[in-house]
Amino acid sequence: RGWNLFDLVLVLFSIVDLVVTLAAKDKGPASIGSSMKTLKMLRIVRVFRVFRFFRELNLLALMILDSVKSLLWALLMMCIIIYVFAILFTESATVYLTGNRDYSVPMEE
């Protein structure tokens, strides 16, 4: 019952989008039409109906969602490591470049 209502809402949004697009064809881009297109992308949610019928597919999707938390923590750790090494290399390059320059002798052009 819920999916039928969801499909009805999607069809109504499609009809409204078509009417707005035809009405605003000569008046330039319609911001309402672009937002309707965004809402039409909700059709992808209908794919999740399949999960009810296939237990293995449902289990696989849940395992993927559970692994996202670990993946985000690993990504955060990698960003921290890259940040620390960027600071280290910048500091080392600054020391190297300022240490090899003799400021007492004027530069020749």
Side-chain angles (χ1 to χ4, degrees), residues 89-103 107:
F89 291 143
T90 303
E91 181 68 24
S92 298
T94 304
V95 168
Y96 175 76
L97 291 175
T98 57
N100 288 339
R101 181 171 264 173
D102 186 13
Y103 291 105
M107 294 179 63

Side-chain angles (χ1 to χ4, degrees), residues 42-108:
L42 287 174
R43 282 192 246 173
I44 296 172
V45 175
R46 288 194 280 178
V47 172
F48 293 117
R49 277 193 248 183
V50 176
F51 290 138
R52 287 188 300 183
F53 303 114
F54 299 105
R55 186 172 165 258
E56 293 83 12
L57 185 61
N58 190 11
L59 183 64
L60 185 64
L62 289 175
M63 288 179 2
I64 289 172
L65 288 176
D66 286 341
S67 67
V68 168
K69 182 179 176 185
S70 300
L71 180 66
L72 289 177
W73 281 115
L75 182 65
L76 179 68
M77 181 61 89
M78 189 177 71
C79 288
I80 290 171
I81 290 170
I82 289 173
Y83 182 72
V84 168
F85 276 101
I87 291 173
L88 178 73
F89 291 143
T90 303
E91 181 68 24
S92 298
T94 304
V95 168
Y96 175 76
L97 291 175
T98 57
N100 288 339
R101 181 171 264 173
D102 186 13
Y103 291 105
S104 63
V105 180
M107 294 179 63
E108 296 180 24

